[in-house]
Amino acid sequence: MKTIGLIGGMSWESTVTYYRIINEEVKKRLGGLHSAKCLLYSVDFDEIERYQKEGDWENAGHVLGEAAASVEKAGADFIIICTNTMHKVNEDIEAKISIPVLHIADATVKQIQRTNVKTVGLLGTKYTMEQDFYKSRIESAGIQVIVPDEDEREKVNNVIFDELCLGYIQQESREYFKQVIQKLVDSGAEGIILGCTEIELLVKPDDSIVPLFDTTSIHAKESVHMALNTN
């Protein structure tokens, strides 16, 4: 079993879910008392979120790169970044280490390709929905990506940072997300990427008439696949 290096804390709410899913998946595959070999570096999200707001991706990348280097030094065999948005600085992180990074978008593409879905709606932070670092990685696999309109993107982003990252689950927000999902479906989405690791705390499979691609679960399970080197 390889050792998984987790860069988490963005937010810690979703990092808890990563840890749980990874260990549940190892137990499911190996049985008995097996659990995952992993190392977690949990950053202070306030610092990272400040860099996001300021558009200071260079410093954000430096912080996460140093975290990844520490985890590699401690014995990790590969890295997973437990957030979608901060894959924007994936190249900065890779430049600091010699071990692989399992990219969340690549894991998600792999899952989508197991279905007949060719057009997906993308929900996430405004950075993930509006910038190309994530969408282009999906689209390069021949999958069309559509996003909510500007007002909806802003409100989705606010729910993520003002509620979900703080552990607040509001029924009103769930209903709003369901409306946004339905509009994406009406615009041609055959599936929805939950492209923020906190959204799975709010939106459940029954909230959509099309498949939901929960990136937290997909990424965590793919990391176990990589750790166990199974086919």
Side-chain angles (χ1 to χ4, degrees):
M1 188 192 305
K2 296 184 179 71
T3 300
I4 306 169
L6 298 91
I7 309 302
M10 301 167 284
S11 67
W12 69 262
E13 295 281 349
S14 61
T15 304
V16 169
T17 306
Y18 264 93
Y19 186 74
R20 175 179 55 78
I21 292 173
I22 287 170
N23 280 286
E24 286 176 348
E25 190 68 10
V26 168
K27 182 179 179 181
K28 176 182 174 183
R29 296 192 187 198
L30 299 182
L33 295 175
H34 283 289
S35 56
K37 292 172 64 178
C38 58
L39 295 162
L40 169 62
Y41 191 117
S42 189
V43 302
D44 180 1
F45 190 33
D46 183 79
E47 179 184 16
I48 300 299
E49 193 268 342
R50 218 168 45 242
Y51 288 142
Q52 290 177 347
K53 277 187 176 178
E54 295 168 357
D56 189 353
W57 299 102
E58 182 178 354
N59 269 321
H62 176 76
V63 171
L64 297 191
E66 290 297 315
S70 295
V71 172
E72 178 182 17
K73 187 176 181 180
D77 293 300
F78 65 95
I79 298 289
I80 61 171
I81 309 163
C82 302
T83 166
N84 285 270
T85 298
M86 294 314 297
H87 280 75
K88 179 175 173 66
V89 298
N90 185 66
E91 291 182 2
D92 299 304
I93 294 169
E94 288 181 325
K96 295 271 190 171
I97 58 178
S98 59
I99 56 176
V101 176
L102 175 59
H103 198 292
I104 195 169
D106 294 345
T108 302
V109 163
K110 189 174 177 180
Q111 183 66 28
I112 295 171
Q113 289 176 331
R114 295 191 178 107
T115 73
N116 293 320
V117 171
K118 300 298 181 185
T119 301
V120 292
L122 174 62
L123 298 178
T125 67
K126 61 183 178 182
Y127 313 107
T128 300
M129 292 186 287
E130 295 175 358
Q131 299 179 20
D132 285 336
F133 71 92
Y134 192 91
K135 290 187 293 184
S136 62
R137 198 121 179 174
I138 303 292
E139 290 169 338
S140 67
I143 300 164
Q144 182 181 356
V145 178
I146 57 178
V147 297
D149 65 33
E150 185 176 357
D151 288 342
E152 290 167 341
R153 294 197 301 268
E154 189 66 31
K155 184 161 183 179
V156 166
N157 187 77
N158 289 341
V159 169
I160 290 169
F161 282 100
D162 298 340
E163 298 177 20
L164 302 182
C165 287
L166 299 173
Y168 302 143
I169 309 301
Q170 308 285 351
Q171 182 60 31
E172 180 182 351
S173 296
R174 177 177 287 113
E175 293 302 319
Y176 182 75
F177 269 59
K178 287 168 65 174
Q179 293 171 22
V180 173
I181 288 170
Q182 186 58 52
K183 283 186 65 177
L184 289 170
V185 172
D186 293 342
S187 297
E190 303 164 314
I192 303 294
I193 296 176
L194 303 184
C196 172
T197 50
E198 279 78 28
I199 296 178
E200 63 86 24
L201 301 171
L202 181 70
V203 177
K204 306 301 178 185
D206 289 346
D207 294 327
S208 172
I209 63 172
V210 299
L212 299 179
F213 297 99
D214 173 8
T215 55
T216 304
S217 178
I218 291 169
H219 200 204
K221 289 179 180 179
E222 187 64 18
S223 74
V224 173
H225 177 86
M226 190 168 177
L228 299 181
N229 199 24
T230 56
N231 296 321

